Amino acid sequence: MAEQKMVNGVNVTELFNTIDLIKKNPDIAKFKFRATNKWINGTHNRATIKDFYGALKEDNSRKPMVYELDEPPVLLGKNEGSNPVEYLLVALSGCLTTSLVAHASAKGIKIKGVQSRYEGEIDLRGFLGISEDVQVGYQNIRVYFKIDADVSQEQKEEMIKMAQKYSPVFNTITKSVPVSVQLDK
Amino acid sequence: MAEQKMVNGVNVTELFNTIDLIKKNPDIAKFKFRATNKWINGTHNRATIKDFYGALKEDNSRKPMVYELDEPPVLLGKNEGSNPVEYLLVALSGCLTTSLVAHASAKGIKIKGVQSRYEGEIDLRGFLGISEDVQVGYQNIRVYFKIDADVSQEQKEEMIKMAQKYSPVFNTITKSVPVSVQLDK
């Protein structure tokens, strides 16, 4: 068995093996991720993540992961969980971080720590239907990274550029992605 | 004290009062939502949601809500949590559901149940930097709703249209939202 090169907890040997396999058969890279949601009451609902399709097969091996969504009282909820636009920031934070760490690891850059904070502005006149001129979604999101690694400031700047370039959630938010919504027949 | 009209667990009296207040002072509708993230190891990181700004003040009253993010083994992780693109579906699911329920409640439509399922396609050649021609984010997301309510099929179709029109996460994903990423000074 070949020795596995680990950088920052990322198995870089396996990462490069995967890339080689995908170059031979691009279908390996085609993934389908899924969620289900059940309304509970008012602004409270519950999402579940479990199965996905990827690397040419269905994966049903994970236990269900359940997430409560609700609004704070000022938005008519009861704080049963974070609200949907906050979960979007959770998604963005995880994706930029993983993208940063994976691409730095592939380059052999050792990281001691990565922290980041996120702030998104939203004008709820859009959601409430008060004004058609107001954007319904986030108007903008600002992200600040702290990277602890023995590299230059320029290399840290390069790391956050790579994070943005390769992060699926960042690219889903900053570009326009089609979402079809229909009644289940 | 005026009687509070509740529909589907939504305080519709308060909803319309809030709309009236915002019409007088639009700044009440300006919200800032936040997250922080800390890298743990490999593809595992941890996001926290706590404070936000809205209705003219900082709200620091909630307990921290913590979310683990990781990848499944096929994507070099250890299943410590759902992955970032799955959290994006969680966000979308909660937002479409809340938007549907809130707008139906405002119209006085009684709902018995709402369930929905989500599937997003992603080609990881983008994330892995194998091909510049492949979209890095989701290529598309499909959503299917089941609504249990004593209304016509046309009204259910109208409900899912309203959900899309007024959902902040739906509109963040389907439109292009600017995200600035920088090093924390």
Side-chain angles (χ1 to χ4, degrees), chain A residues 47 69 83-89 91, chain B residues 86-96 167 169 173:
Chain A
L69 298 107
N83 77 14
V85 292
E86 291 174 323
Y87 272 96
L88 186 90
L89 298 182
Chain B
E86 290 174 322
Y87 273 96
L88 186 90
L89 298 182
V90 168
L92 178 62
S93 79
C95 205
L96 282 172
S167 159
V169 174
I173 293 172

Side-chain angles (χ1 to χ4, degrees), chain B:
Chain B
M1 212 168 109
E3 202 185 325
Q4 306 283 300
K5 187 183 174 194
M6 300 293 289
V7 182
N8 307 317
V10 174
N11 189 327
V12 174
T13 308
E14 207 180 314
L15 176 59
F16 285 114
N17 284 345
T18 303
I19 289 172
D20 284 342
L21 286 170
I22 290 171
K23 280 179 180 167
K24 284 175 203 149
N25 181 4
D27 283 348
I28 294 171
K30 289 179 184 165
F31 277 67
K32 289 179 191 175
F33 293 105
R34 299 168 187 141
T36 58
N37 186 292
K38 189 177 189 302
W39 172 60
I40 307 297
N41 192 40
T43 56
H44 180 202
N45 58 73
R46 185 173 291 145
T48 304
I49 299 288
K50 179 165 169 46
D51 53 294
F52 67 91
Y53 173 87
L56 307 174
K57 63 180 180 190
E58 286 291 328
D59 187 315
N60 202 26
S61 66
R62 296 183 301 179
K63 285 178 191 155
M65 292 170 278
V66 177
Y67 303 99
E68 304 292 332
L69 298 108
D70 195 9
E71 299 291 343
V74 69
L75 295 172
L76 310 180
K78 291 177 178 171
N79 272 341
E80 300 285 349
S82 297
N83 77 14
V85 292
E86 290 174 322
Y87 273 96
L88 186 90
L89 298 182
V90 168
L92 178 62
S93 79
C95 205
L96 282 172
T97 301
T98 297
S99 180
L100 189 155
V101 171
H103 283 271
S105 302
K107 290 184 175 169
I109 300 169
K110 289 214 172 100
I111 297 170
K112 294 175 204 167
V114 181
Q115 292 192 41
S116 50
R117 55 194 177 88
Y118 301 75
E119 184 170 79
E121 287 184 294
I122 198 160
D123 186 328
L124 292 180
R125 286 180 295 165
F127 169 73
L128 292 166
I130 293 172
S131 168
E132 296 284 328
D133 302 329
V134 170
Q135 205 169 326
V136 174
Y138 272 120
Q139 295 173 315
N140 60 72
I141 298 170
R142 289 180 299 272
V143 183
Y144 302 90
F145 265 96
K146 267 188 195 167
I147 304 170
D148 184 8
D150 292 329
V151 297
S152 67
Q153 191 71 3
E154 288 67 35
Q155 279 176 291
K156 288 183 184 176
E157 293 284 359
E158 180 64 17
M159 284 160 86
I160 61 171
K161 269 189 201 146
M162 290 296 103
Q164 294 169 75
K165 182 172 182 183
Y166 295 114
S167 159
V169 174
F170 177 85
N171 283 280
T172 298
I173 293 172
T174 55
K175 296 181 179 68
S176 170
V177 171
V179 180
S180 74
V181 182
Q182 53 192 284
L183 290 174
D184 219 339
K185 308 287 173 189

Side-chain angles (χ1 to χ4, degrees), chain A residues 44-107:
Chain A
H44 179 203
N45 58 74
R46 184 174 291 145
T48 304
I49 298 289
K50 179 166 170 43
D51 54 293
F52 66 91
Y53 173 88
L56 308 175
K57 63 181 181 189
E58 286 291 328
D59 187 314
N60 202 26
S61 66
R62 297 184 300 180
K63 285 178 191 155
M65 292 171 277
V66 177
Y67 303 98
E68 304 291 330
L69 298 107
D70 196 8
E71 299 291 343
V74 69
L75 294 172
L76 309 181
K78 291 178 179 170
N79 272 341
E80 301 284 350
S82 297
N83 77 14
V85 292
E86 291 174 323
Y87 272 96
L88 186 90
L89 298 182
V90 169
L92 179 62
S93 79
C95 204
L96 283 171
T97 301
T98 297
S99 180
L100 189 155
V101 171
H103 283 272
S105 302
K107 290 183 175 167

Side-chain angles (χ1 to χ4, degrees), chain A residues 142-157:
Chain A
R142 290 180 298 271
V143 183
Y144 303 90
F145 266 95
K146 268 188 194 164
I147 302 170
D148 184 7
D150 292 329
V151 297
S152 67
Q153 192 70 6
E154 287 67 33
Q155 280 176 291
K156 288 183 185 178
E157 294 283 359

